[in-house]
């Protein structure tokens, strides 16, 4: 057990991030007098030991990220007699963590929340910064709250049994962080350690998570509620990517969508003269070396639907959707893009 | 239009409270480029003019204070293309305001919120301090958030057409504030101006609302998220009262339940030697002069159910329900009460 970050958040809240072994997690779970542990059917399996008495196992998958699941959590919490000082513990990927945290944020107007990410994506993406939520009306995470977990327990043991596609999904977010970082430390690490990263060498993976979280933390602590336009930069690739995920009815993974979206943002940025060409090319090469750059394109006949989905994006301001583009290393900007620029970026030329 | 309070809240948020005429409210509603106005079928009627284009009229009543109604608000917001900087405007009693505010707090993880109370109860109780929510699993307001409105627009025109029972419900909360006040200004006002208050003389009512809000504000600004045990004092009468409301399937009004609960708390406090006898007697006399003190009692055969409902109270800490009792004027304390004390307070002797 090691505390690797203590992240100061709005209103004096702090999220402490620890690395834990599975045994330490089990001990932690048994230390709370009143708790509800929320798993999905994947994480309950990879946890590999008896679940705490007050537990709920939800079906996995983005299609269950809805009020019905949150309702099940709240209802179980109510039946188990949880109070406002009880602890909701989410153990799983981003879907479970977002929903467990959302449920904890609205139960009695806010109970306690501890998150145990079991996927690479959730370790680097869903656990820090307090974004909670569910999908709603066809839009991802359209309903939710800002509610930071008091603790995040990262356990790389969980990552060993992840399916390749799930691990790749996490790598998509890590690669995104490499571009957003003020320096090239993470980019260089990703380029040099690619073999060890892909073979999931535990120490290499732990270091990659740490470097990736460091970038995320630098953005969220400067803008905890996404009001200053700084934190919004973490949505690099998300506007392009979410709409692709929606087009595929969430049949492609989040990180896969984001990675694809980052490459689109780099290409769009070059096309309108915002992004340094060399930075974009290096970035796209890095994404390509991990197999991300050219994985999808939007068919011409679906572009209308794709573009309308973008119009539903949460990050609208004054009715306009703003994309995150990159000027260069660690220099994001928020911009609107016209339909033709979006079209050129998402439809691959023959 | 007059700004009567500017209430500082957690994290730099401020709720500005204004007195408005109906015309000024109409002008305000037409001033927002993107809004959704949420009414109930009472408030849409007493508004008495064409509703804004993006409006939703929900059925009135506590039995509709559930996710289904919030879902309807969110769904309408989504269909109307609302963004995070759009404004949700709740126009109605506490049920509508709590739900409109809850919906605004979770839409895109937090849109803007303006509240227009149309009942006395909601003017003095539901609009300040950011408590939002719905009933859940048989417990009142068991699911919700803390999310302060940016503006509260108080319009006494709405109060003239209120049914007597609804007006009385508001008076219950006002009387509660009189005991919690550091001074006896509000108590004296309520005793001396009773005739004008009961005949709803507009200026008298406006002054009563102002004095009542002043008390509420003094509690919430010292403890915005109800974490220090100060704000909890505003729940005086609520633990007794909510369980009574639940016993009656919410067939009695909130203020009626609270007022009854305050008298129970005074009696229980005297019984266990916490409350100054003279303070309690004066307080009960004031409540009695408004017809509140002896309105209900819990039948012996329903006491078990009543007591179990109390056990579900949100204000539990470490598994124990804490009641708000009064030592004397403006001096609340939080205490557990044993079953016999509760029994003696709620079952009227023959």
């Amino acid at each position: 057990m090691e505390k690797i970050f203590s992240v100061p958040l709005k209103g004096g809240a702090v999220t402490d991030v620890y690395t834990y072994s599975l045994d330490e997690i089990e001990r932690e779970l048994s230390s709370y007098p009143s708790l509800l542990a929320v798993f999905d059917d994947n994480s309950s399996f990879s946890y590999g030991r008896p679940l705490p008495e007050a537990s709920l196992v939800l079906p996995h998958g983005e299609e269950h990220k809805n009020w019905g699941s949150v309702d099940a959590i709240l209802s179980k919490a109510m039946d188990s007699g949880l109070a406002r000082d009880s602890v909701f513990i989410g153990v799983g990927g981003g879907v479970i963590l977002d929903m467990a945290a959302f449920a904890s944020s609205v139960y009695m107007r806010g109970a306690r929340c501890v998150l145990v990410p079991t996927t690479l994506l959730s370790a680097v993406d869903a656990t820090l910064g307090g974004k909670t939520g569910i999908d709603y009306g066809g839009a991802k995470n359209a309903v939710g709250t800002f509610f930071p977990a008091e603790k995040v327990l990262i356990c790389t043991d969980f990552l060993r049994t992840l399916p390749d596609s799930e691990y790749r999904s996490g790598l998509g977010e890590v690669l995104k962080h490499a571009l957003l970082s003020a320096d090239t430390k993470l980019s260089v690490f990703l380029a040099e350690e690619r073999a060890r990263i892909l073979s999931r060498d535990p120490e290499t993976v732990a270091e990659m998570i740490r470097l990736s979280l460091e970038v995320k933390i630098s953005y969220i602590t400067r803008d905890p509620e996404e009001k200053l336009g700084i934190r919004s930069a973490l949505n690099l690739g998300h506007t392009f990517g979410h709409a692709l995920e929606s087009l595929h009815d969430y049949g492609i993974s989040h990180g896969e969508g984001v990675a694809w979206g980052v490459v689109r943002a780099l290409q769009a940025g070059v096309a309108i003269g915002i992004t340094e060409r060399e930075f974009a090319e290096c970035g796209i090469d890095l994404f390509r070396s991990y197999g991300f750059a050219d994985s999808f394109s939007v068919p011409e006949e679906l572009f209308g639907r794709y573009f309308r989905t973008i119009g539903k994006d949460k990050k609208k301001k004054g009715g306009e959707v703003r994309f995150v583009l990159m000027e260069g290393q660690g220099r994001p900007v928020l911009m609107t893009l016209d339909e033709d620029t979006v079209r050129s970026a998402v439809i691959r030329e023959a």
Side-chain angles (χ1 to χ4, degrees), chain A residues 205-224:
Chain A
V205 170
E207 176 64 7
M208 175 179 76
I209 291 175
R210 208 188 56 70
L211 287 169
S212 187
L213 283 177
E214 205 165 74
V215 177
K216 178 155 186 177
I217 290 167
S218 78
Y219 281 85
I220 59 182
T221 53
R222 284 180 287 156
D223 182 15

Side-chain angles (χ1 to χ4, degrees), chain A residues 266-326:
Chain A
L266 290 173
Q267 289 176 339
V270 170
I272 62 170
I274 288 289
T275 308
E276 292 166 8
R277 187 176 292 273
E278 200 192 323
F279 169 75
E281 282 169 3
C282 287
I284 294 172
D285 280 349
L286 182 63
F287 277 72
R288 186 168 286 132
S289 75
Y290 278 88
F292 281 118
D294 312 301
S295 36
F296 301 93
S297 80
V298 175
E300 175 67 50
E301 64 274 21
L302 293 180
F303 179 74
R305 203 178 121 203
Y306 177 86
F307 195 71
R308 277 194 303 279
T309 306
I310 282 184
K312 288 190 188 169
D313 198 272
K314 262 196 314 302
K315 293 168 283 294
K316 275 204 292 196
K317 194 145 195 172
E320 293 208 304
V321 175
R322 295 171 315 151
F323 291 75
V324 183
L325 302 184
M326 299 300 295

Side-chain angles (χ1 to χ4, degrees), chain A residues 116-127:
Chain A
V116 183
T118 61
T119 65
L120 177 58
L121 179 66
S122 60
V124 299
D125 187 41
T127 55

Side-chain angles (χ1 to χ4, degrees), chain A residues 42-274:
Chain A
N42 287 331
S43 65
S44 64
F45 178 77
S46 53
Y47 183 58
R49 43 198 79 201
L51 306 186
E53 200 185 312
S55 294
L56 182 67
V57 181
L58 294 168
H60 71 274
E62 185 83 29
E63 69 270 30
H64 300 288
K65 195 174 185 183
N66 53 34
W67 177 258
S69 298
V70 172
D71 190 33
I73 300 172
L74 293 170
S75 173
K76 177 83 184 176
M78 193 67 97
D79 292 345
S80 310
L82 263 63
R84 193 180 277 175
D85 57 353
S86 303
V87 185
F88 288 64
I89 302 174
V91 185
V95 170
I96 284 294
L97 301 186
D98 284 2
M99 292 198 299
F102 182 41
S104 76
S105 76
V106 300
Y107 187 75
M108 310 281 176
R109 299 201 186 95
R112 296 167 60 196
C113 178
V114 171
L115 299 179
V116 183
T118 61
T119 65
L120 177 58
L121 179 66
S122 60
V124 299
D125 187 41
T127 55
L128 272 188
K131 286 192 176 183
T132 83
I134 52 176
D135 300 334
Y136 191 89
K140 285 198 69 169
N141 303 318
V143 165
T145 53
F146 284 99
F147 194 76
E150 57 183 63
K151 278 186 188 177
V152 171
L153 315 179
I154 291 175
C155 174
T156 50
D157 295 341
F158 284 117
L159 306 186
R160 275 189 299 214
T161 55
L162 280 185
D164 266 346
S165 63
E166 185 54 53
Y167 187 67
R168 267 178 67 71
S169 177
L171 288 176
E173 284 282 343
V174 174
L175 284 157
K176 180 201 77 177
H177 287 155
L179 303 190
L180 290 170
S181 175
D183 57 44
T184 57
K185 214 164 41 176
L186 180 54
S187 294
V188 169
F189 185 84
L190 286 167
E192 289 181 351
E193 301 291 335
R194 196 165 65 87
R196 262 188 286 269
I197 288 168
L198 292 178
S199 67
R200 308 190 201 177
D201 171 65
E203 279 182 29
T204 310
V205 170
E207 176 64 7
M208 175 179 76
I209 291 175
R210 208 188 56 70
L211 287 169
S212 187
L213 283 177
E214 205 165 74
V215 177
K216 178 155 186 177
I217 290 167
S218 78
Y219 281 85
I220 59 182
T221 53
R222 284 180 287 156
D223 182 15
E225 297 218 335
E226 204 161 346
K227 286 185 172 160
L228 310 173
I230 298 169
R231 179 170 176 171
S232 315
L234 292 169
N235 291 316
L236 172 61
H238 282 60
T239 304
F240 282 114
H242 275 174
L244 184 77
E245 289 176 71
S246 170
L247 200 65
H248 286 253
D249 279 331
Y250 301 105
I252 62 169
S253 75
H254 177 69
E256 193 83 56
V258 166
W260 177 85
V262 172
V263 176
R264 260 66 265 160
L266 290 173
Q267 289 176 339
V270 170
I272 62 170
I274 288 289

